[in-house]
Amino acid sequence: MKTIPLVTFIELEPAVVLQKRLQQAGVSATLHDESKLERFWFMSAPFAAIHLEVPQPQYLSARRLLLKWDKEDHALHSAVRCPECQSSRVEFPAMTRKFVTPVLMRLFTTLHIFPEEFYCMDCHYTWPTVMAIQPQLDNLNWPVNSHMGDPRTARSH
């Protein structure tokens, strides 16, 4: 039976906990660990390689359960989440896993021709592994914590 990725994790332990919880709720959840594949094909340390998958007919009910549990007790706190839509259906690196293309793409990312990015399977957003934090801006697009122009911080010459 075809399975669909439901949640992506960086570490195995929280994935196992969530898998058992889904199974206790009657959902046939399985773990798919791509860490060995990433280590071999992508020539790098695996990252976000643990995928919790469910059979296609159970996907919607499993997703509803996860959203409910996340509201109740933050069940997805250790999952990799999309910064745009908060989906937990994420792939890393953001490239196909078919035939020779991953090897070429990995070569390009190693040479810094292409960035290494996450990919959201729901909204198709991609983002880098490290994101710059944007300062909070006021109505005039000045940083909120800026002291520029503040007479209390002006230096006397």
Side-chain angles (χ1 to χ4, degrees), residues 21 27 30-31 37 120 129 131 140:
R21 194 168 174 184
V27 177
T30 58
L31 284 176
L37 175 72
C120 177
T129 55
M131 294 179 69
L140 299 174

Side-chain angles (χ1 to χ4, degrees), residues 138 140 142-155:
D138 64 12
L140 299 174
W142 285 85
V144 171
N145 296 331
S146 173
H147 297 289
M148 192 163 182
D150 187 346
R152 296 172 292 182
T153 60
R155 288 192 247 171

Side-chain angles (χ1 to χ4, degrees), residues 5 8 10 15 28-29 32 45-46 48 50 56 59 65 92 104 110 112 114 135 139 141 148:
T8 301
I10 292 174
S28 302
H32 183 83
I50 311 296
Q56 190 172 10
Y59 173 75
L65 278 173
F92 180 85
L104 293 174
T110 302
H112 302 289
F114 294 128
N139 292 343
N141 285 331
M148 192 163 182

